[in-house]
Amino acid sequence: MSHLFPTYNRLDMELISGEGTKVKDSDGQTYMDFIAGIAVCNLGHSPAVVKKAVEEQLDKIWHVSNLFQLSLQEEAAELLAAASGMDAVFFCNSGAEANEAAIKLAKKHTGKTKILTFKQSFHGRTFATMSATGQEKIHGGFGPLLPTFEYLPYNDVEALSKIEADDIAGIMVEVIQGEGGVIPGTETFLKEVQNKCREIGALLIIDEVQTGVGRTGVPFAYQHHGLHPDIVTAAKGLGSGFPVGAMIGRKELIQTFSPGTHGSTFGGNPLAMAAVKATLETIMDESFLSGVKSKSNTFIQSLKDKMEPLSLVKEVRGEGFMIGIQVEGEAKEAIEHLRKNGLLTLPAGPDVIRLLPPLTVTEAELEEALTILEQSLKQQTEEAVR
């Protein structure tokens, strides 16, 4: 028997090595990895620049308490502040922890208690972030949720117009709903969320755990829309596989998180900070991001041209290298076809194939993936007709 709690539906395979976009399982089979640890391995598997930085830090010191000065934290925070146009950073260990910090900061700074989020959102699995998540399947079996969260329909401007300034500390939103089905927010909707925050004195909190760190071709996805959030959360691709999260905020909020108001034993660990610094120095380079934009724009258009004519496919959508292919019926059969043909993908909701390749994926690898996708979905379509 396994001594692990069965909290994951694991595939009957183990990935034992990886480099760039390619991974190998324990049977020696090689795959193209368009999961990338769920948008974590933005620089691919085993990126040399991050490996070198972590190895150098391993020879110095692994862990110290946040009671001491940590220059690597300062350097990584400066990079995040520059990339986001914001001012201060709190480091933690995950996206859920970053969202916990954002919730606490918003409530403490405003003196209000309610947080508005959106249906089909996903913000984490701690009790507060689970309560913030607008999906019933995440809530089941845990009894009453925290009562200070309310869910509005996503991309619904009319629903926003009905919000009243009733003890609302913040509105938390994803620019693209990831777990909810790779659903991009419209610019009109996102700007109205910002306007409503300003109108009622609430903080605008943008969850960039999956969309951030270059995933959509800019440092953070809100920058596509000219938004000015008060708080941004990041994790996943931030440390190239090291457990790390960050809450980024404006200078007006700094004094609210004074000594003793929040903390994390492992947050800002020197090894994680070495990985973060090396990752950010690579990804936030203008030429790197322009390459992501160019490759992803071409790939999305090719996907639309090849996939959307298939009767199985409803829509191709997304931004950068966060892409969803919505299919008729459930996506799990298509995902299994793709895996058997050498391409690893994952679902986003019941009927969406999610593609999250490393940002370092080559044009040749994208062509290879496109061929596998076209052949696999055509094959499934033909099987369904028989």
Side-chain angles (χ1 to χ4, degrees), residues 160-216:
L160 294 172
S161 69
K162 297 176 182 177
I163 295 172
E164 297 180 358
D166 181 21
D167 199 28
I168 298 170
I171 303 179
M172 179 181 283
V173 65
E174 298 161 279
V175 177
I176 304 172
Q177 289 191 328
E179 305 304 316
V182 190
I183 303 171
T186 66
E187 185 158 317
T188 300
F189 167 73
L190 293 168
K191 286 191 171 177
E192 188 56 32
V193 172
Q194 178 171 275
N195 292 341
K196 181 56 68 171
C197 285
R198 303 297 181 254
E199 176 188 325
I200 65 176
L203 299 187
L204 174 59
I205 307 166
I206 299 186
D207 181 338
E208 293 261 8
V209 170
Q210 190 165 155
T211 52
V213 196
R215 173 58 50 185
T216 68

Side-chain angles (χ1 to χ4, degrees), residues 239-313:
S240 293
F242 273 75
V244 62
M247 182 198 69
I248 315 164
R250 296 202 172 278
K251 60 185 177 182
E252 294 81 6
L253 306 176
I254 290 174
Q255 294 307 313
T256 301
F257 253 20
S258 56
T261 55
H262 198 50
S264 170
T265 296
F266 295 107
N269 173 279
L271 296 180
M273 291 299 96
V276 168
K277 184 183 176 186
T279 299
L280 291 176
E281 286 175 339
T282 303
I283 289 177
M284 297 309 172
D285 179 82
E286 189 175 335
S287 63
F288 183 94
L289 288 171
S290 65
V292 173
K293 283 183 184 177
S294 176
K295 289 184 296 184
S296 62
N297 286 343
T298 300
F299 184 57
I300 289 174
Q301 188 57 55
S302 296
L303 282 171
K304 288 177 178 288
D305 293 343
K306 299 281 189 181
M307 300 293 107
E308 289 186 341
L310 300 176
S311 60
L312 181 67
V313 175

Side-chain angles (χ1 to χ4, degrees), residues 303-377:
L303 282 171
K304 288 177 178 288
D305 293 343
K306 299 281 189 181
M307 300 293 107
E308 289 186 341
L310 300 176
S311 60
L312 181 67
V313 175
K314 288 184 175 181
E315 184 185 15
V316 174
R317 58 179 179 253
E319 186 79 51
F321 282 128
M322 185 173 175
I323 303 166
I325 302 173
Q326 187 176 11
V327 297
E328 296 283 354
E330 294 193 352
K332 60 184 180 181
E333 185 178 345
I335 290 169
E336 179 63 17
H337 270 279
L338 292 167
R339 183 173 70 87
K340 289 178 178 178
N341 290 325
L343 180 65
L344 300 180
T345 62
L346 74 163
D351 62 347
V352 175
I353 304 165
R354 186 171 15 163
L355 307 178
L356 299 166
L359 307 185
T360 52
V361 63
T362 67
E363 291 179 359
E365 288 169 334
L366 290 170
E367 284 293 329
E368 183 182 348
L370 186 63
T371 299
I372 294 172
L373 281 159
E374 185 179 18
Q375 291 177 347
S376 298
L377 295 186

